[in-house]
PDB file of all heavy atoms in Angstrom:
ATOM      1  N   HIS J 230      17.500 -13.699  13.439  1.00  0.00           N
ATOM      2  CA  HIS J 230      17.573 -12.238  13.324  1.00  0.00           C
ATOM      3  C   HIS J 230      17.607 -11.767  11.983  1.00  0.00           C
ATOM      4  O   HIS J 230      16.766 -10.916  11.678  1.00  0.00           O
ATOM      5  CB  HIS J 230      18.789 -11.772  14.234  1.00  0.00           C
ATOM      6  CG  HIS J 230      18.954 -10.334  14.060  1.00  0.00           C
ATOM      7  ND1 HIS J 230      18.289  -9.459  14.896  1.00  0.00           N
ATOM      8  CD2 HIS J 230      19.847  -9.673  13.407  1.00  0.00           C
ATOM      9  CE1 HIS J 230      18.673  -8.278  14.563  1.00  0.00           C
ATOM     10  NE2 HIS J 230      19.751  -8.310  13.720  1.00  0.00           N
ATOM     11  N   GLU J 231      18.382 -12.453  11.098  1.00  0.00           N
ATOM     12  CA  GLU J 231      18.376 -12.118   9.710  1.00  0.00           C
ATOM     13  C   GLU J 231      17.011 -12.147   9.060  1.00  0.00           C
ATOM     14  O   GLU J 231      16.635 -11.402   8.293  1.00  0.00           O
ATOM     15  CB  GLU J 231      19.409 -12.928   8.978  1.00  0.00           C
ATOM     16  CG  GLU J 231      20.831 -12.537   9.361  1.00  0.00           C
ATOM     17  CD  GLU J 231      21.860 -13.373   8.588  1.00  0.00           C
ATOM     18  OE1 GLU J 231      21.469 -14.070   7.590  1.00  0.00           O
ATOM     19  OE2 GLU J 231      22.961 -13.592   9.122  1.00  0.00           O
ATOM     20  N   GLU J 232      16.406 -13.311   9.396  1.00  0.00           N
ATOM     21  CA  GLU J 232      14.993 -13.534   8.796  1.00  0.00           C
ATOM     22  C   GLU J 232      13.983 -12.477   9.277  1.00  0.00           C
ATOM     23  O   GLU J 232      13.256 -12.006   8.479  1.00  0.00           O
ATOM     24  CB  GLU J 232      14.513 -15.018   9.237  1.00  0.00           C
ATOM     25  CG  GLU J 232      13.377 -15.386   8.481  1.00  0.00           C
ATOM     26  CD  GLU J 232      13.587 -15.751   7.075  1.00  0.00           C
ATOM     27  OE1 GLU J 232      14.827 -16.166   6.780  1.00  0.00           O
ATOM     28  OE2 GLU J 232      12.684 -15.834   6.287  1.00  0.00           O
ATOM     29  N   VAL J 233      14.099 -12.149  10.548  1.00  0.00           N
ATOM     30  CA  VAL J 233      13.161 -10.989  11.001  1.00  0.00           C
ATOM     31  C   VAL J 233      13.422  -9.731  10.379  1.00  0.00           C
ATOM     32  O   VAL J 233      12.456  -9.046  10.006  1.00  0.00           O
ATOM     33  CB  VAL J 233      13.360 -10.931  12.560  1.00  0.00           C
ATOM     34  CG1 VAL J 233      12.677  -9.743  13.086  1.00  0.00           C
ATOM     35  CG2 VAL J 233      12.663 -12.230  13.290  1.00  0.00           C
ATOM     36  N   GLU J 234      14.713  -9.436  10.245  1.00  0.00           N
ATOM     37  CA  GLU J 234      15.058  -8.154   9.574  1.00  0.00           C
ATOM     38  C   GLU J 234      14.553  -8.087   8.124  1.00  0.00           C
ATOM     39  O   GLU J 234      14.000  -7.128   7.609  1.00  0.00           O
ATOM     40  CB  GLU J 234      16.552  -7.931   9.542  1.00  0.00           C
ATOM     41  CG  GLU J 234      17.185  -7.673  10.973  1.00  0.00           C
ATOM     42  CD  GLU J 234      16.697  -6.276  11.425  1.00  0.00           C
ATOM     43  OE1 GLU J 234      16.552  -5.366  10.623  1.00  0.00           O
ATOM     44  OE2 GLU J 234      16.437  -6.205  12.671  1.00  0.00           O
ATOM     45  N   THR J 235      14.680  -9.319   7.402  1.00  0.00           N
ATOM     46  CA  THR J 235      14.216  -9.384   5.977  1.00  0.00           C
ATOM     47  C   THR J 235      12.689  -9.155   5.903  1.00  0.00           C
ATOM     48  O   THR J 235      12.202  -8.475   5.154  1.00  0.00           O
ATOM     49  CB  THR J 235      14.636 -10.823   5.416  1.00  0.00           C
ATOM     50  OG1 THR J 235      16.081 -10.889   5.479  1.00  0.00           O
ATOM     51  CG2 THR J 235      14.156 -10.916   3.998  1.00  0.00           C
ATOM     52  N   HIS J 236      11.993  -9.888   6.854  1.00  0.00           N
ATOM     53  CA  HIS J 236      10.588  -9.716   6.895  1.00  0.00           C
ATOM     54  C   HIS J 236      10.169  -8.319   7.262  1.00  0.00           C
ATOM     55  O   HIS J 236       9.115  -7.810   6.590  1.00  0.00           O
ATOM     56  CB  HIS J 236       9.952 -10.774   7.798  1.00  0.00           C
ATOM     57  CG  HIS J 236       9.989 -12.116   7.215  1.00  0.00           C
ATOM     58  ND1 HIS J 236       9.851 -13.297   8.034  1.00  0.00           N
ATOM     59  CD2 HIS J 236      10.118 -12.591   5.953  1.00  0.00           C
ATOM     60  CE1 HIS J 236       9.946 -14.301   7.297  1.00  0.00           C
ATOM     61  NE2 HIS J 236      10.062 -13.991   6.125  1.00  0.00           N
ATOM     62  N   ASN J 237      10.856  -7.700   8.176  1.00  0.00           N
ATOM     63  CA  ASN J 237      10.460  -6.256   8.518  1.00  0.00           C
ATOM     64  C   ASN J 237      10.603  -5.378   7.270  1.00  0.00           C
ATOM     65  O   ASN J 237       9.796  -4.522   7.157  1.00  0.00           O
ATOM     66  CB  ASN J 237      11.392  -5.763   9.643  1.00  0.00           C
ATOM     67  CG  ASN J 237      10.835  -6.227  11.057  1.00  0.00           C
ATOM     68  OD1 ASN J 237       9.740  -6.615  11.235  1.00  0.00           O
ATOM     69  ND2 ASN J 237      11.728  -6.247  12.000  1.00  0.00           N
ATOM     70  N   ARG J 238      11.730  -5.513   6.560  1.00  0.00           N
ATOM     71  CA  ARG J 238      11.924  -4.681   5.310  1.00  0.00           C
ATOM     72  C   ARG J 238      10.797  -4.925   4.329  1.00  0.00           C
ATOM     73  O   ARG J 238      10.252  -4.144   3.704  1.00  0.00           O
ATOM     74  CB  ARG J 238      13.285  -5.067   4.712  1.00  0.00           C
ATOM     75  CG  ARG J 238      14.436  -4.351   5.425  1.00  0.00           C
ATOM     76  CD  ARG J 238      15.828  -4.421   4.696  1.00  0.00           C
ATOM     77  NE  ARG J 238      16.155  -5.778   4.384  1.00  0.00           N
ATOM     78  CZ  ARG J 238      16.973  -6.454   5.180  1.00  0.00           C
ATOM     79  NH1 ARG J 238      17.383  -5.985   6.381  1.00  0.00           N
ATOM     80  NH2 ARG J 238      17.337  -7.751   4.873  1.00  0.00           N
ATOM     81  N   MET J 239      10.464  -6.272   4.137  1.00  0.00           N
ATOM     82  CA  MET J 239       9.419  -6.627   3.197  1.00  0.00           C
ATOM     83  C   MET J 239       7.993  -6.007   3.635  1.00  0.00           C
ATOM     84  O   MET J 239       7.342  -5.443   2.815  1.00  0.00           O
ATOM     85  CB  MET J 239       9.305  -8.130   3.147  1.00  0.00           C
ATOM     86  CG  MET J 239       8.207  -8.539   2.103  1.00  0.00           C
ATOM     87  SD  MET J 239       8.139 -10.365   1.790  1.00  0.00           S
ATOM     88  CE  MET J 239       8.625 -11.136   3.297  1.00  0.00           C
ATOM     89  N   LEU J 240       7.754  -6.128   4.932  1.00  0.00           N
ATOM     90  CA  LEU J 240       6.535  -5.475   5.472  1.00  0.00           C
ATOM     91  C   LEU J 240       6.470  -4.004   5.286  1.00  0.00           C
ATOM     92  O   LEU J 240       5.445  -3.408   5.028  1.00  0.00           O
ATOM     93  CB  LEU J 240       6.307  -5.889   7.000  1.00  0.00           C
ATOM     94  CG  LEU J 240       5.902  -7.332   7.150  1.00  0.00           C
ATOM     95  CD1 LEU J 240       5.921  -7.730   8.629  1.00  0.00           C
ATOM     96  CD2 LEU J 240       4.590  -7.664   6.541  1.00  0.00           C
ATOM     97  N   ASP J 241       7.693  -3.406   5.522  1.00  0.00           N
ATOM     98  CA  ASP J 241       7.690  -1.891   5.274  1.00  0.00           C
ATOM     99  C   ASP J 241       7.364  -1.566   3.843  1.00  0.00           C
ATOM    100  O   ASP J 241       6.715  -0.507   3.506  1.00  0.00           O
ATOM    101  CB  ASP J 241       8.979  -1.416   5.638  1.00  0.00           C
ATOM    102  CG  ASP J 241       9.245  -1.337   7.235  1.00  0.00           C
ATOM    103  OD1 ASP J 241       8.295  -1.320   7.866  1.00  0.00           O
ATOM    104  OD2 ASP J 241      10.355  -1.242   7.576  1.00  0.00           O
ATOM    105  N   ARG J 242       8.040  -2.320   2.853  1.00  0.00           N
ATOM    106  CA  ARG J 242       7.804  -1.965   1.546  1.00  0.00           C
ATOM    107  C   ARG J 242       6.232  -2.271   1.204  1.00  0.00           C
ATOM    108  O   ARG J 242       5.674  -1.511   0.412  1.00  0.00           O
ATOM    109  CB  ARG J 242       8.535  -2.928   0.541  1.00  0.00           C
ATOM    110  CG  ARG J 242      10.048  -2.535   0.495  1.00  0.00           C
ATOM    111  CD  ARG J 242      10.764  -3.250  -0.653  1.00  0.00           C
ATOM    112  NE  ARG J 242      10.611  -4.630  -0.565  1.00  0.00           N
ATOM    113  CZ  ARG J 242      11.568  -5.475   0.057  1.00  0.00           C
ATOM    114  NH1 ARG J 242      12.672  -4.899   0.628  1.00  0.00           N
ATOM    115  NH2 ARG J 242      11.434  -6.787   0.013  1.00  0.00           N
ATOM    116  N   MET J 243       5.662  -3.359   1.676  1.00  0.00           N
ATOM    117  CA  MET J 243       4.197  -3.670   1.463  1.00  0.00           C
ATOM    118  C   MET J 243       3.462  -2.496   2.017  1.00  0.00           C
ATOM    119  O   MET J 243       2.334  -2.132   1.337  1.00  0.00           O
ATOM    120  CB  MET J 243       3.861  -4.909   2.143  1.00  0.00           C
ATOM    121  CG  MET J 243       4.288  -6.201   1.308  1.00  0.00           C
ATOM    122  SD  MET J 243       3.874  -7.757   2.140  1.00  0.00           S
ATOM    123  CE  MET J 243       2.144  -7.602   2.356  1.00  0.00           C
ATOM    124  N   GLY J 244       3.787  -2.002   3.219  1.00  0.00           N
ATOM    125  CA  GLY J 244       3.008  -0.914   3.728  1.00  0.00           C
ATOM    126  C   GLY J 244       3.076   0.289   2.902  1.00  0.00           C
ATOM    127  O   GLY J 244       2.001   1.093   2.617  1.00  0.00           O
ATOM    128  N   ASN J 245       4.196   0.652   2.381  1.00  0.00           N
ATOM    129  CA  ASN J 245       4.315   1.769   1.502  1.00  0.00           C
ATOM    130  C   ASN J 245       3.528   1.555   0.126  1.00  0.00           C
ATOM    131  O   ASN J 245       2.886   2.494  -0.311  1.00  0.00           O
ATOM    132  CB  ASN J 245       5.859   1.982   1.142  1.00  0.00           C
ATOM    133  CG  ASN J 245       6.606   2.432   2.353  1.00  0.00           C
ATOM    134  OD1 ASN J 245       6.102   2.986   3.305  1.00  0.00           O
ATOM    135  ND2 ASN J 245       7.915   2.270   2.289  1.00  0.00           N
ATOM    136  N   ASP J 246       3.514   0.346  -0.353  1.00  0.00           N
ATOM    137  CA  ASP J 246       2.801   0.007  -1.519  1.00  0.00           C
ATOM    138  C   ASP J 246       1.324   0.216  -1.234  1.00  0.00           C
ATOM    139  O   ASP J 246       0.524   0.646  -2.094  1.00  0.00           O
ATOM    140  CB  ASP J 246       3.105  -1.360  -2.056  1.00  0.00           C
ATOM    141  CG  ASP J 246       4.540  -1.408  -2.607  1.00  0.00           C
ATOM    142  OD1 ASP J 246       5.167  -0.441  -2.943  1.00  0.00           O
ATOM    143  OD2 ASP J 246       4.953  -2.664  -2.758  1.00  0.00           O
ATOM    144  N   MET J 247       0.786  -0.299  -0.060  1.00  0.00           N
ATOM    145  CA  MET J 247      -0.570  -0.248   0.285  1.00  0.00           C
ATOM    146  C   MET J 247      -0.983   1.278   0.381  1.00  0.00           C
ATOM    147  O   MET J 247      -2.102   1.698  -0.014  1.00  0.00           O
ATOM    148  CB  MET J 247      -0.769  -0.910   1.592  1.00  0.00           C
ATOM    149  CG  MET J 247      -0.709  -2.356   1.473  1.00  0.00           C
ATOM    150  SD  MET J 247      -1.882  -3.120   0.333  1.00  0.00           S
ATOM    151  CE  MET J 247      -3.114  -3.417   1.393  1.00  0.00           C
ATOM    152  N   ASP J 248      -0.096   2.074   1.000  1.00  0.00           N
ATOM    153  CA  ASP J 248      -0.361   3.566   1.145  1.00  0.00           C
ATOM    154  C   ASP J 248      -0.567   4.145  -0.318  1.00  0.00           C
ATOM    155  O   ASP J 248      -1.480   4.882  -0.524  1.00  0.00           O
ATOM    156  CB  ASP J 248       0.702   4.253   1.890  1.00  0.00           C
ATOM    157  CG  ASP J 248       0.572   3.902   3.315  1.00  0.00           C
ATOM    158  OD1 ASP J 248      -0.427   3.441   3.860  1.00  0.00           O
ATOM    159  OD2 ASP J 248       1.592   4.251   3.998  1.00  0.00           O
ATOM    160  N   SER J 249       0.350   3.915  -1.203  1.00  0.00           N
ATOM    161  CA  SER J 249       0.207   4.430  -2.500  1.00  0.00           C
ATOM    162  C   SER J 249      -0.990   3.859  -3.244  1.00  0.00           C
ATOM    163  O   SER J 249      -1.738   4.583  -4.088  1.00  0.00           O
ATOM    164  CB  SER J 249       1.476   4.194  -3.374  1.00  0.00           C
ATOM    165  OG  SER J 249       1.593   2.785  -3.623  1.00  0.00           O
ATOM    166  N   SER J 250      -1.473   2.596  -3.093  1.00  0.00           N
ATOM    167  CA  SER J 250      -2.638   2.061  -3.656  1.00  0.00           C
ATOM    168  C   SER J 250      -3.828   2.717  -3.112  1.00  0.00           C
ATOM    169  O   SER J 250      -4.751   2.961  -3.831  1.00  0.00           O
ATOM    170  CB  SER J 250      -2.701   0.580  -3.422  1.00  0.00           C
ATOM    171  OG  SER J 250      -1.643  -0.161  -4.006  1.00  0.00           O
ATOM    172  N   ARG J 251      -3.842   3.003  -1.813  1.00  0.00           N
ATOM    173  CA  ARG J 251      -4.926   3.627  -1.157  1.00  0.00           C
ATOM    174  C   ARG J 251      -5.141   5.058  -1.736  1.00  0.00           C
ATOM    175  O   ARG J 251      -6.339   5.515  -2.021  1.00  0.00           O
ATOM    176  CB  ARG J 251      -4.816   3.773   0.325  1.00  0.00           C
ATOM    177  CG  ARG J 251      -5.898   4.289   1.109  1.00  0.00           C
ATOM    178  CD  ARG J 251      -5.647   4.285   2.634  1.00  0.00           C
ATOM    179  NE  ARG J 251      -5.515   3.013   3.151  1.00  0.00           N
ATOM    180  CZ  ARG J 251      -4.427   2.576   3.819  1.00  0.00           C
ATOM    181  NH1 ARG J 251      -3.589   3.409   4.039  1.00  0.00           N
ATOM    182  NH2 ARG J 251      -4.352   1.359   4.290  1.00  0.00           N
ATOM    183  N   GLY J 252      -4.078   5.646  -2.036  1.00  0.00           N
ATOM    184  CA  GLY J 252      -4.205   7.126  -2.663  1.00  0.00           C
ATOM    185  C   GLY J 252      -4.791   6.926  -4.029  1.00  0.00           C
ATOM    186  O   GLY J 252      -5.598   7.895  -4.436  1.00  0.00           O
ATOM    187  N   ILE J 253      -4.388   5.959  -4.914  1.00  0.00           N
ATOM    188  CA  ILE J 253      -4.874   5.857  -6.277  1.00  0.00           C
ATOM    189  C   ILE J 253      -6.319   5.509  -6.115  1.00  0.00           C
ATOM    190  O   ILE J 253      -7.135   6.030  -6.914  1.00  0.00           O
ATOM    191  CB  ILE J 253      -4.011   4.782  -6.955  1.00  0.00           C
ATOM    192  CG1 ILE J 253      -2.528   5.221  -7.202  1.00  0.00           C
ATOM    193  CG2 ILE J 253      -4.702   4.367  -8.233  1.00  0.00           C
ATOM    194  CD1 ILE J 253      -1.676   4.173  -7.692  1.00  0.00           C
ATOM    195  N   LEU J 254      -6.718   4.585  -5.194  1.00  0.00           N
ATOM    196  CA  LEU J 254      -8.081   4.168  -5.171  1.00  0.00           C
ATOM    197  C   LEU J 254      -8.996   5.284  -4.691  1.00  0.00           C
ATOM    198  O   LEU J 254     -10.067   5.422  -5.108  1.00  0.00           O
ATOM    199  CB  LEU J 254      -8.224   2.913  -4.261  1.00  0.00           C
ATOM    200  CG  LEU J 254      -7.846   1.544  -4.821  1.00  0.00           C
ATOM    201  CD1 LEU J 254      -7.826   0.480  -3.698  1.00  0.00           C
ATOM    202  CD2 LEU J 254      -8.574   1.269  -6.014  1.00  0.00           C
ATOM    203  N   SER J 255      -8.516   6.091  -3.711  1.00  0.00           N
ATOM    204  CA  SER J 255      -9.342   7.241  -3.300  1.00  0.00           C
ATOM    205  C   SER J 255      -9.550   8.248  -4.423  1.00  0.00           C
ATOM    206  O   SER J 255     -10.610   8.783  -4.526  1.00  0.00           O
ATOM    207  CB  SER J 255      -8.780   7.897  -2.034  1.00  0.00           C
ATOM    208  OG  SER J 255      -7.551   8.497  -2.406  1.00  0.00           O
ATOM    209  N   GLY J 256      -8.611   8.426  -5.167  1.00  0.00           N
ATOM    210  CA  GLY J 256      -8.686   9.350  -6.345  1.00  0.00           C
ATOM    211  C   GLY J 256      -9.643   8.767  -7.234  1.00  0.00           C
ATOM    212  O   GLY J 256     -10.556   9.533  -7.831  1.00  0.00           O
ATOM    213  N   THR J 257      -9.638   7.489  -7.594  1.00  0.00           N
ATOM    214  CA  THR J 257     -10.473   6.818  -8.435  1.00  0.00           C
ATOM    215  C   THR J 257     -12.009   6.919  -8.003  1.00  0.00           C
ATOM    216  O   THR J 257     -12.958   7.211  -8.777  1.00  0.00           O
ATOM    217  CB  THR J 257     -10.205   5.371  -8.766  1.00  0.00           C
ATOM    218  OG1 THR J 257      -8.793   5.322  -9.186  1.00  0.00           O
ATOM    219  CG2 THR J 257     -11.101   4.703  -9.718  1.00  0.00           C
ATOM    220  N   MET J 258     -12.144   6.694  -6.697  1.00  0.00           N
ATOM    221  CA  MET J 258     -13.504   6.737  -6.061  1.00  0.00           C
ATOM    222  C   MET J 258     -13.983   8.155  -6.210  1.00  0.00           C
ATOM    223  O   MET J 258     -15.277   8.447  -6.375  1.00  0.00           O
ATOM    224  CB  MET J 258     -13.376   6.327  -4.620  1.00  0.00           C
ATOM    225  CG  MET J 258     -13.139   4.868  -4.386  1.00  0.00           C
ATOM    226  SD  MET J 258     -14.419   3.844  -5.311  1.00  0.00           S
ATOM    227  CE  MET J 258     -15.869   4.166  -4.273  1.00  0.00           C
ATOM    228  N   ASP J 259     -13.216   9.225  -5.982  1.00  0.00           N
ATOM    229  CA  ASP J 259     -13.621  10.587  -6.188  1.00  0.00           C
ATOM    230  C   ASP J 259     -14.082  10.812  -7.577  1.00  0.00           C
ATOM    231  O   ASP J 259     -15.155  11.526  -7.763  1.00  0.00           O
ATOM    232  CB  ASP J 259     -12.491  11.566  -5.792  1.00  0.00           C
ATOM    233  CG  ASP J 259     -12.106  11.632  -4.415  1.00  0.00           C
ATOM    234  OD1 ASP J 259     -13.082  11.130  -3.496  1.00  0.00           O
ATOM    235  OD2 ASP J 259     -11.073  12.089  -3.953  1.00  0.00           O
ATOM    236  N   LYS J 260     -13.450  10.336  -8.535  1.00  0.00           N
ATOM    237  CA  LYS J 260     -13.923  10.361  -9.964  1.00  0.00           C
ATOM    238  C   LYS J 260     -15.093   9.703 -10.111  1.00  0.00           C
ATOM    239  O   LYS J 260     -16.127  10.197 -10.908  1.00  0.00           O
ATOM    240  CB  LYS J 260     -12.827   9.890 -10.923  1.00  0.00           C
ATOM    241  CG  LYS J 260     -11.581  10.735 -11.002  1.00  0.00           C
ATOM    242  CD  LYS J 260     -10.556  10.171 -11.839  1.00  0.00           C
ATOM    243  CE  LYS J 260      -9.246  10.954 -11.754  1.00  0.00           C
ATOM    244  NZ  LYS J 260      -8.136  10.441 -12.521  1.00  0.00           N
ATOM    245  N   PHE J 261     -15.416   8.502  -9.554  1.00  0.00           N
ATOM    246  CA  PHE J 261     -16.632   7.799  -9.678  1.00  0.00           C
ATOM    247  C   PHE J 261     -17.789   8.577  -9.058  1.00  0.00           C
ATOM    248  O   PHE J 261     -18.935   8.757  -9.576  1.00  0.00           O
ATOM    249  CB  PHE J 261     -16.625   6.451  -9.099  1.00  0.00           C
ATOM    250  CG  PHE J 261     -16.193   5.395 -10.018  1.00  0.00           C
ATOM    251  CD1 PHE J 261     -15.035   4.633  -9.693  1.00  0.00           C
ATOM    252  CD2 PHE J 261     -16.920   5.150 -11.165  1.00  0.00           C
ATOM    253  CE1 PHE J 261     -14.630   3.702 -10.607  1.00  0.00           C
ATOM    254  CE2 PHE J 261     -16.519   4.083 -12.017  1.00  0.00           C
ATOM    255  CZ  PHE J 261     -15.377   3.332 -11.687  1.00  0.00           C
ATOM    256  N   LYS J 262     -17.572   9.320  -7.920  1.00  0.00           N
ATOM    257  CA  LYS J 262     -18.574  10.074  -7.284  1.00  0.00           C
ATOM    258  C   LYS J 262     -18.951  11.198  -8.196  1.00  0.00           C
ATOM    259  O   LYS J 262     -20.201  11.517  -8.307  1.00  0.00           O
ATOM    260  CB  LYS J 262     -18.079  10.701  -5.970  1.00  0.00           C
ATOM    261  CG  LYS J 262     -18.005   9.578  -4.918  1.00  0.00           C
ATOM    262  CD  LYS J 262     -17.367  10.279  -3.579  1.00  0.00           C
ATOM    263  CE  LYS J 262     -17.197   9.125  -2.451  1.00  0.00           C
ATOM    264  NZ  LYS J 262     -16.512   9.753  -1.330  1.00  0.00           N
ATOM    265  N   MET J 263     -17.972  11.848  -8.856  1.00  0.00           N
ATOM    266  CA  MET J 263     -18.326  12.969  -9.746  1.00  0.00           C
ATOM    267  C   MET J 263     -19.189  12.441 -10.868  1.00  0.00           C
ATOM    268  O   MET J 263     -20.087  13.118 -11.440  1.00  0.00           O
ATOM    269  CB  MET J 263     -17.069  13.597 -10.301  1.00  0.00           C
ATOM    270  CG  MET J 263     -16.356  14.413  -9.236  1.00  0.00           C
ATOM    271  SD  MET J 263     -14.974  15.471  -9.784  1.00  0.00           S
ATOM    272  CE  MET J 263     -14.353  14.759 -11.211  1.00  0.00           C
ATOM    273  N   VAL J 264     -18.794  11.265 -11.429  1.00  0.00           N
ATOM    274  CA  VAL J 264     -19.589  10.759 -12.631  1.00  0.00           C
ATOM    275  C   VAL J 264     -21.067  10.467 -12.176  1.00  0.00           C
ATOM    276  O   VAL J 264     -21.939  10.654 -12.896  1.00  0.00           O
ATOM    277  CB  VAL J 264     -18.860   9.397 -13.091  1.00  0.00           C
ATOM    278  CG1 VAL J 264     -19.704   8.668 -14.059  1.00  0.00           C
ATOM    279  CG2 VAL J 264     -17.570   9.819 -13.804  1.00  0.00           C
ATOM    280  N   PHE J 265     -21.236   9.856 -10.973  1.00  0.00           N
ATOM    281  CA  PHE J 265     -22.531   9.491 -10.597  1.00  0.00           C
ATOM    282  C   PHE J 265     -23.423  10.683 -10.125  1.00  0.00           C
ATOM    283  O   PHE J 265     -24.571  10.503  -9.841  1.00  0.00           O
ATOM    284  CB  PHE J 265     -22.480   8.345  -9.484  1.00  0.00           C
ATOM    285  CG  PHE J 265     -22.222   6.969 -10.057  1.00  0.00           C
ATOM    286  CD1 PHE J 265     -21.117   6.442  -9.620  1.00  0.00           C
ATOM    287  CD2 PHE J 265     -23.134   6.419 -10.862  1.00  0.00           C
ATOM    288  CE1 PHE J 265     -20.751   5.034 -10.117  1.00  0.00           C
ATOM    289  CE2 PHE J 265     -22.818   5.198 -11.534  1.00  0.00           C
ATOM    290  CZ  PHE J 265     -21.621   4.493 -11.052  1.00  0.00           C
TER     291      PHE J 265
END
């Protein structure tokens, strides 16, 4: 149970990090589109 809880917290943090990375990448892609 403790191991599952730890992994759930870690997966939640990874999901949040992926969401923020997706936002940064989409902003970068928008800039590339404007450049091209």
Side-chain angles (χ1 to χ4, degrees):
H230 177 73
E231 289 177 21
E232 192 72 22
V233 167
E234 290 293 323
T235 302
H236 285 160
N237 280 340
R238 285 191 298 272
M239 184 174 29
L240 287 172
D241 287 342
R242 285 193 306 266
M243 284 177 54
N245 293 337
D246 291 345
M247 292 296 269
D248 288 341
S249 66
S250 298
R251 186 176 298 124
I253 292 170
L254 284 175
S255 68
T257 303
M258 290 303 292
D259 290 342
K260 289 177 184 176
F261 271 120
K262 286 178 186 176
M263 286 186 340
V264 166
F265 281 117

